[in-house]
């Protein structure tokens, strides 16, 4: 058999298709989507690593094609950081990149000290980067992105390779320090839905290069859902009890009946409770069932 052109380039793939987003100053905006959705491509465009074929992308009102104006405004944090020098210490790495980021020479050491304390790496500053844990490497990457104090941070799956403890610490740093104290605007690309729920003010769901939905977590949770669900703990429940609701499920729990009911968008919980009690039921507990973000995402 003869193989012709075994190394020919694959066909062109359109990674993004008319993405239209606006991230507000001071918010954490989540970019959600499955692998291959185009999240990393969008982050690369915004960080001036690649240029868009069509349309415009702006950072602080400046087009990303004017990278000399845009780059001072942003810091970039990758999930798999390979650009540090592994034989140098954490402090030596930051000093090297501070020079590249045009941090004034007299300001470099004090700025590095400030950031090492912020990311809790002051004691580990003399250690070689090669000896850092995954969480420490990620925190140093954040410190590097902050060297020139940019107002905008782009984060591409920053907790992907971290254990649960390191992920919790990094999320606290992002929410409490970077947003809460420093007021940074943060674009967070992730497919970790729990992370998005904890951190993000708003999210966009990106699928096959297209934005499917934009909104707060609650708005995205309720996307396509036109009813509310409640969980009732009822004594003396009878299967013939009916009312202005749809029964989703029932089960016996500790001598009571746990009943999940659904109301349409116009339904009132008070009417449900009155109906159940009027027919002999005694309600011991009631709570609302929030829509699941994973189901909305799927």
């Amino acid at each position: 058999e003869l193989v012709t052109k075994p190394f020919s380039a694959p066909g062109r793939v359109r990674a993004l298709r008319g993405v239209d987003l606006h991230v507000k100053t001071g918010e954490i905006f989540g970019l959600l989507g499955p692998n291959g959705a185009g999240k990393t491509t969008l982050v690369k465009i915004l960080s001036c690593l690649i240029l868009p074929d069509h349309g415009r992308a702006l950072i602080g009102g400046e087009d990303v094609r004017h990278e000399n104006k845009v780059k001072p405004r942003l810091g970039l944090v990758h999930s798999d950081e390979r650009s540090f020098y592994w034989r140098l210490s954490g402090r030596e790495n930051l000093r090297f990149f501070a020079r590249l980021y045009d941090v004034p020479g007299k300001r470099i050491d004090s700025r590095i000290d400030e950031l090492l304390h912020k990311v809790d790496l002051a004691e580990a500053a003399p250690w070689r980067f090669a000896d850092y844990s995954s969480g420490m490497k990620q925190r140093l990457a954040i410190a590097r992105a902050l060297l020139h104090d940019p107002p905008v941070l782009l984060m591409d799956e920053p907790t992907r390779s971290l254990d649960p403890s390191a992920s919790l610490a990094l999320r606290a740093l992002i929410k409490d320090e970077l947003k809460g104290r420093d007021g940074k605007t943060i674009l967070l690309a992730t497919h970790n839905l729990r992370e998005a729920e904890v951190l993000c003010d708003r999210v966009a769901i990106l699928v096959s290069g297209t934005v499917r939905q934009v909104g707060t977590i609650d708005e995205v949770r309720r996307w396509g859902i036109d009813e509310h669900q409640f969980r009732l703990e009822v004594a003396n429940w009878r299967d013939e009890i009916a009312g202005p609701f749809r029964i989703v499920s029932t089960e016996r729990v500790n001598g009571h009946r746990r009943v999940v009911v659904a109301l349409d968008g116009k339904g009132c919980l008070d009417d449900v409770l009155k109906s159940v009690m009027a027919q002999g039921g005694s309600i011991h507990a009631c709570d609302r069932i929030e829509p699941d973000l994973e189901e909305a995402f799927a």
Side-chain angles (χ1 to χ4, degrees):
E1 295 182 359
L2 177 63
V3 178
T4 60
K5 298 183 180 179
F7 302 112
S8 58
R12 290 173 62 87
V13 175
R14 183 176 293 179
L16 299 171
R17 305 164 187 267
V19 173
D20 187 6
L21 294 173
H22 175 254
V23 180
K24 300 175 184 177
T25 300
E27 76 173 338
I28 301 179
F29 189 95
L31 194 61
L32 306 180
N35 291 331
K39 303 187 301 296
T40 297
T41 299
L42 181 55
V43 170
K44 287 181 177 179
I45 289 174
L46 294 174
S47 57
C48 307
L49 294 178
I50 58 177
L51 294 177
D53 296 318
H54 302 284
R56 293 196 308 160
L58 308 176
I59 298 287
E62 294 289 348
D63 196 299
V64 295
R65 288 182 170 84
H66 305 147
E67 60 180 281
N68 290 337
K69 295 181 179 179
V70 171
K71 284 186 175 180
R73 297 171 181 258
L74 62 86
L76 176 63
V77 181
H78 292 288
S79 60
D80 185 17
E81 189 49 68
R82 301 181 182 181
S83 58
F84 283 108
Y85 291 90
W86 287 50
R87 295 184 180 182
L88 299 181
S89 69
R91 179 181 294 278
E92 289 167 339
N93 268 286
L94 291 183
R95 185 175 290 116
F96 171 80
F97 285 105
R99 294 289 186 182
L100 293 183
Y101 291 177
D102 291 329
V103 178
K106 294 181 179 180
R107 175 80 171 112
I108 287 178
D109 287 336
S110 61
R111 180 62 176 162
I112 289 174
D113 287 338
E114 177 186 340
L115 292 173
L116 287 172
H117 280 91
K118 182 185 290 288
V119 299
D120 196 23
L121 286 176
E123 293 185 3
W127 302 0
R128 292 194 319 160
F129 181 79
D131 297 328
Y132 279 12
S133 66
S134 295
M136 294 166 72
K137 290 174 181 175
Q138 200 64 8
R139 281 181 279 147
L140 192 70
I142 292 176
R144 181 179 63 180
L146 294 170
L147 279 167
H148 55 305
D149 197 20
V152 178
L153 288 178
L154 308 177
M155 295 186 164
D156 189 7
E157 299 185 24
T159 63
R160 184 176 66 179
S161 60
L162 305 186
D163 61 45
S165 177
S167 295
L168 286 173
L170 188 55
R171 289 170 190 161
L173 172 66
I174 293 171
K175 189 168 187 176
D176 299 337
E177 291 284 334
L178 302 184
K179 182 200 173 183
R181 180 176 297 180
D182 299 339
K184 303 293 185 186
T185 302
I186 301 172
L187 178 69
L188 177 72
T190 182
H191 56 244
N192 185 324
L193 301 184
R194 173 59 180 163
E195 186 168 272
E197 285 186 289
V198 170
L199 291 178
C200 297
D201 301 298
R202 292 189 302 139
V203 298
I205 295 179
L206 191 65
V207 180
S208 299
T210 302
V211 175
R212 295 289 183 86
Q213 182 75 349
V214 180
T216 66
I217 293 294
D218 286 340
E219 289 170 344
V220 172
R221 275 200 193 106
R222 300 209 61 81
W223 185 25
I225 298 176
D226 57 1
E227 64 180 17
H228 303 282
Q229 291 190 357
F230 296 87
R231 184 184 296 106
L232 310 178
E233 297 279 351
V234 184
N236 304 321
W237 172 269
R238 303 190 312 277
D239 289 338
E240 60 267 24
I241 289 179
F245 52 80
R246 177 175 65 85
I247 298 175
V248 177
S249 65
T250 66
E251 60 176 332
R252 292 190 178 278
V253 179
N254 298 326
H256 296 162
R257 187 71 68 90
R258 179 175 293 162
V259 185
V260 176
V261 300
L263 309 180
D264 62 28
K266 299 178 181 179
C268 176
L269 178 60
D270 282 348
D271 294 336
V272 174
L273 302 181
K274 290 176 182 178
S275 177
V276 172
M277 291 187 290
Q279 297 175 69
S282 177
I283 299 172
H284 288 224
C286 173
D287 63 285
R288 181 172 176 171
I289 300 175
E290 293 294 339
D292 189 275
L293 184 60
E294 288 187 356
E295 293 178 6
F297 181 82

